[in-house]
Amino acid sequence: MARNKKKLVTYDENYLRHIYFCIDNNIKIYAVPKTQREYYVEVNDNGKIIRSPEPYGLKQWSDKIIELYTFYYYKHNPTDK
């Protein structure tokens, strides 16, 4: 029986720079468990905590975190696009 191949998610080539920028500027994004299979994504922007309105599955929350790091990077660096 053949194994299912996992899809590879492609990110912006600079996503690590986006993560480093956010961490250096006290912006942290992480998953908070709701159940064993669902997670909220929470943003701590210099003490202001924002939680996602809906939970994400096991495979979706990590992609959402990368997306949010990119969003906050460009929010604070609009000329860097």
Side-chain angles (χ1 to χ4, degrees), residues 1-58:
M1 188 167 164
R3 270 207 245 176
N4 292 336
K5 290 186 179 182
K6 293 183 179 181
K7 292 182 182 178
L8 294 175
V9 178
T10 57
Y11 300 113
D12 180 340
E13 60 198 27
N14 298 313
Y15 78 95
L16 287 176
R17 184 174 64 170
H18 302 164
I19 293 170
Y20 294 142
F21 170 83
C22 288
I23 291 171
D24 288 344
N25 287 283
N26 218 13
I27 301 168
K28 299 168 193 78
I29 304 170
Y30 46 88
V32 177
K34 176 183 178 190
T35 65
Q36 288 183 338
R37 297 181 184 262
E38 293 183 313
Y39 296 82
Y40 290 109
V41 174
E42 203 166 84
V43 178
N44 183 340
D45 186 359
N46 292 299
K48 181 180 178 187
I49 296 176
I50 304 164
R51 183 178 280 189
S52 63
E54 76 275 346
Y56 293 91
L58 288 171

